[in-house]
Amino acid sequence: MLIAHLSDPHVRPRGQLYQGVVDSNAMFEAALAQLDALDPRPDLVLLTGDVVDEGTAEEYAVASQMLADIGLPLLVIPGNHDEREAFRACFKAHAHLPATGPLHFAVGEHGPVRIVALDVTPPGEHHGEFDDATAFWLEATLAAEPERPTLVMMHQPPFASGIPYIDDYSCRGGERLAAIIARHPQVERVLCGHIHRFMQLRFGGTMLLTAPSTTTAIALRLAPDAEPASYVEPPAMLLHQWRPGTGLVTHFVPIGRFAGPFDFF
């Protein structure tokens, strides 16, 4: 099973730049074009939040148009730049999304790997919160299929990355989440967005990965007093391939046109 993983496109109204600097819409279109050219085609696409930048109906209309032709099953969760009810209206055709409350869901019909999604953003806030209700839901949901390989997807990562100005907006309650994941060894990965960089670490006995944004990258500044900044680095996506006997292999895939292919390896 091949799963494409994109994050944080920050779609804007037509003709408007993200942060007044970059054309995030054009960059997302380039990512979708590269997704369309993959061979073999993915079985599933994951989008881990911040679909749009300001949560407006106009932005969601643009995002909906951009996503309409991907021709692949799509699972998407909101991030802190999304507005939950506008998000719910945009993706109303996604029958797995609950009609009210947090947009948690579990989906397993697209292949051998089950996807469990958490909506951890408190409305109006930028940080995440792994609260009591979410913990109860996740424990019960993972316990329902203990033998099936599973990915848990969420927006804010539940750990301190070392970049001080993004760690202020991480998901709180990470130790509690890690304890639940550790009780369910079928979880192959915890997948996040939000941080606009690729990172990986051991978490709850499995691997946690953050997908880069399809637009700007948060500056990798690790000094405790570092000033916030971003760069227009090459965007990228992740590809997760699950095979019996091997498990899940994750590939980092830059988005763009590069020299090659050459006849050496």
Side-chain angles (χ1 to χ4, degrees):
M1 182 177 183
L2 189 61
I3 301 167
H5 177 193
L6 295 89
S7 200
D8 296 81
H10 288 270
V11 170
R12 299 288 289 135
R14 297 285 186 189
Q16 294 187 25
L17 299 179
Y18 171 57
Q19 300 296 322
V21 175
V22 298
D23 190 344
S24 57
N25 292 8
M27 296 176 82
F28 191 40
E29 287 171 344
L32 295 176
Q34 189 152 331
L35 176 68
D36 186 59
L38 289 174
D39 182 19
R41 298 270 285 167
D43 300 288
L44 181 63
V45 178
L46 308 180
L47 181 52
T48 47
D50 283 359
V51 179
V52 304
D53 191 47
E54 295 184 352
T56 67
E58 184 178 5
E59 289 177 332
Y60 281 113
V62 175
S64 182
Q65 292 168 4
M66 296 172 76
L67 291 166
D69 296 326
I70 64 171
L72 296 165
L74 172 68
L75 299 179
V76 55
I77 54 171
N80 54 297
H81 282 262
D82 292 298
E83 198 284 319
R84 186 178 283 164
E85 297 313 314
F87 178 100
R88 202 188 313 265
C90 177
F91 296 103
K92 61 184 177 182
H94 292 215
H96 56 270
L97 291 177
T100 60
L103 291 160
H104 310 319
F105 62 85
V107 171
E109 64 263 31
H110 300 296
V113 178
R114 185 184 189 217
I115 310 298
V116 173
L118 302 177
D119 172 12
V120 296
T121 305
E125 301 290 346
H126 287 292
H127 70 277
E129 189 76 46
F130 187 69
D131 59 17
D132 291 347
T134 305
F136 180 83
W137 183 90
L138 179 62
E139 186 85 68
T141 301
L142 292 176
E145 296 195 44
E147 303 301 323
R148 188 166 180 185
T150 298
L151 303 181
V152 174
M153 60 186 284
M154 57 195 294
H155 182 63
Q156 293 94 338
F159 70 96
S161 71
I163 302 175
Y165 42 84
I166 196 68
D167 287 342
D168 289 341
Y169 307 109
S170 63
C171 181
R172 299 167 188 173
E175 290 184 1
R176 185 179 190 181
L177 172 58
I180 292 175
I181 297 296
R183 290 195 289 272
H184 297 279
Q186 78 271 27
V187 177
E188 294 269 354
R189 295 285 191 280
V190 178
L191 304 177
C192 304
H194 185 60
I195 215 161
H196 287 222
R197 299 201 66 84
F198 174 74
M199 298 184 186
Q200 63 178 351
L201 76 158
R202 294 284 296 173
F203 181 86
T206 188
M207 294 296 297
L208 185 151
L209 304 179
T210 66
S213 171
T214 60
T215 183
T216 57
I218 298 293
L220 182 56
R221 294 181 172 179
L222 301 175
D225 58 350
E227 291 293 323
S230 293
Y231 286 93
V232 184
E233 297 179 2
M237 69 177 81
L238 302 180
L239 282 178
H240 310 286
Q241 185 177 40
W242 187 88
R243 292 179 294 171
T246 301
L248 199 74
V249 176
T250 295
H251 303 271
F252 179 93
V253 184
I255 295 165
R257 295 183 179 273
F258 307 97
F262 303 105
D263 60 355
F264 55 83
F265 57 92

